[in-house]
């Protein structure tokens, strides 16, 4: 490498030599005030003679004969390219190589990066109204299942979400079963009430022409009987058949009572002690 007048300077060294900032040196080079050349890596290099010319122009006097003593490693000439070793990078401003940050030594794992997103997606699959105790079970399931090991990067995102959703449903399986059971019980209760009302209406219509003293008791008997026997899976025809059965038995009992009354009356008429 040439020395003395033709010695080469980096941007940082030129800034130190002229007592300017690196940004000012680069700006002067961009505007053509300071002529420079570039290495194959695109880094600026300045000749000592160029820097001397600029300084003489700024000071208005010839440059001092003695150059300041600088303890530095000479920069490579423009034709030389600095290739850092693996795990290091070259800083042209400081004209030295430095180790890469640890996080830059290896690219991030996509499977690790999407873990938080999949956990948040799992929480969105919890239905509205689920109590906090059940939500806590889902959180524990997601924390245990959603990992880069269980969901590696070769599994597409949409399949990973489906797997997470399935885990949430499994965690809420017992809770959902209890909810479905309670809903079915409430539906059965509503259906039984509806069927009883249907039977009462049918009894009302079928006893319209009955005697007043028999009509109301028969209708009450129908209602009491239906409350005991009606099941949720009955049809309206089943209920109407049951109403007809109760009313038929009521009529039979009433006819038997009338026959007994007639027999008692005949006995009284035939009793000679009454004459």
């Amino acid at each position: 490498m040439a020395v003395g007048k033709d010695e080469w300077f980096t941007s940082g060294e030129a800034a130190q030599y002229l007592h300017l900032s690196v940004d000012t040196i680069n700006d002067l080079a961009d505007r053509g005030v300071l002529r420079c050349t570039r290495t194959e890596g695109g880094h600026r290099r300045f000749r000592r003679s160029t820097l001397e010319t600029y300084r003489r122009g700024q000071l208005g006097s010839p440059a001092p004969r003695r150059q300041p003593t600088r303890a530095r490693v000479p920069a490579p000439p423009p034709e030389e390219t600095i290739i850092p070793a693996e795990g290091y990078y070259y800083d042209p401003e400081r004209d030295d190589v430095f180790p890469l940050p640890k996080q830059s030594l290896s690219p991030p794992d996509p499977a690790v990066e999407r873990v938080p997103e999949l956990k948040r997606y799992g929480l969105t699959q919890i239905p509205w109204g689920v109590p906090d105790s059940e939500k806590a079970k889902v959180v524990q399931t997601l924390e245990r299942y959603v990992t880069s090991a269980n969901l590696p990067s070769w599994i597409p995102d949409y399949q990973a979400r489906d797997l997470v959703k399935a885990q949430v449903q499994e965690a809420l399986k017992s809770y959902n079963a209890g909810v479905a059971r309670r809903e079915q019980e409430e539906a059965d209760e509503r259906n039984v009430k509806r069927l009883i009302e249907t039977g009462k209406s049918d009894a009302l219509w079928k006893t319209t022409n009955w005697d007043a003293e028999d009509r109301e008791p028969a209708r009450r008997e129908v209602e009491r009987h239906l409350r005991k026997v009606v099941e949720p899976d009955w049809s309206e025809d089943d209920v109407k058949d049951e109403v007809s059965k109760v009313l038929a038995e009521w009529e039979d009992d009433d006819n038997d009572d009338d026959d007994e009354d007639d027999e008692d009356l005949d006995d009284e008429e035939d009793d000679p002690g009454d004459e």
Side-chain angles (χ1 to χ4, degrees):
M1 181 181 75
V3 295
K5 185 176 181 180
D6 292 331
E7 186 177 0
W8 293 95
F9 288 73
T10 66
S11 296
E13 292 168 344
Q16 182 179 2
Y17 189 77
L18 295 178
H19 303 288
L20 300 173
S21 67
V22 174
D23 290 340
T24 300
I25 292 294
N26 292 334
D27 181 63
L28 291 173
D30 291 339
R31 291 190 286 117
V33 177
L34 282 179
R35 297 181 62 185
C36 68
T37 185
R38 291 180 180 269
T39 67
E40 292 182 3
H43 306 301
R44 293 184 177 90
R45 294 292 183 267
F46 302 87
R47 289 182 181 274
R48 179 189 293 274
S49 58
T50 300
L51 301 179
E52 288 291 346
T53 300
Y54 175 79
R55 185 161 65 172
R56 285 196 301 270
Q58 294 296 311
L59 297 178
S61 60
R65 295 180 180 180
R66 297 184 60 186
Q67 301 300 329
T69 303
R70 296 182 297 109
R72 67 178 184 83
V73 178
E79 64 273 13
E80 183 178 348
T81 302
I82 298 177
I83 303 177
E86 184 177 358
Y88 290 81
Y89 72 98
Y90 173 69
D91 185 351
E93 304 298 337
R94 292 182 285 179
D95 193 25
D96 203 352
V97 293
F98 300 92
L100 289 170
K102 291 184 178 180
Q103 60 271 23
S104 300
L105 294 178
S106 60
D109 186 356
V112 174
E113 288 189 326
R114 72 176 180 180
V115 163
E117 178 185 353
L118 289 174
K119 289 180 179 180
R120 288 191 293 269
Y121 171 77
L123 292 178
T124 64
Q125 300 307 299
I126 301 176
W128 182 87
V130 172
D132 292 340
S133 59
E134 297 297 328
K135 291 180 181 178
K137 295 179 182 179
V138 173
V139 171
Q140 293 174 357
T141 298
L142 294 175
E143 192 67 22
R144 181 177 62 257
Y145 177 76
V146 182
T147 64
S148 58
N150 290 333
L151 300 170
S153 58
W154 55 264
I155 297 179
D157 288 345
Y158 76 93
Q159 288 186 356
R161 286 192 293 269
D162 289 343
L163 293 173
V164 171
K165 182 178 180 180
Q167 288 294 318
V168 173
Q169 293 173 345
E170 183 65 24
L172 294 174
K173 186 176 181 179
S174 59
Y175 169 77
N176 290 334
V179 171
R181 183 172 58 255
R182 289 191 296 272
E183 290 178 349
Q184 185 60 48
E185 290 173 352
E186 292 173 357
D188 289 346
E189 183 178 354
R190 290 193 299 269
N191 193 42
V192 167
K193 289 181 178 179
R194 182 185 63 82
L195 291 172
I196 291 175
E197 291 300 319
T198 298
K200 290 168 62 178
S201 299
D202 187 55
L204 182 67
W205 177 78
K206 289 178 178 178
T207 59
T208 301
N209 297 326
W210 285 29
D211 294 337
E213 60 181 9
D214 294 330
R215 191 164 49 227
E216 291 304 322
R219 291 172 181 173
R220 288 194 297 270
E221 179 62 24
V222 167
E223 182 178 357
R224 284 194 297 269
H225 181 75
L226 292 178
R227 291 186 182 277
K228 292 179 181 179
V229 300
V230 173
E231 297 292 339
D233 58 347
W234 279 27
S235 66
E236 291 186 359
D237 290 338
D238 294 334
V239 173
K240 292 178 180 180
D241 290 342
E242 198 69 22
V243 170
S244 298
K245 185 193 302 183
V246 173
L247 293 179
E249 293 176 356
W250 182 273
E251 287 182 315
D252 291 341
D253 293 340
D254 187 55
N255 291 333
D256 291 342
D257 292 339
D258 290 342
D259 292 340
E260 291 177 359
D261 292 340
D262 292 340
E263 291 178 359
D264 292 339
L265 182 58
D266 292 340
D267 291 341
E268 290 178 358
E269 292 176 352
D270 294 339
D271 188 357
D274 292 338
E275 295 180 355

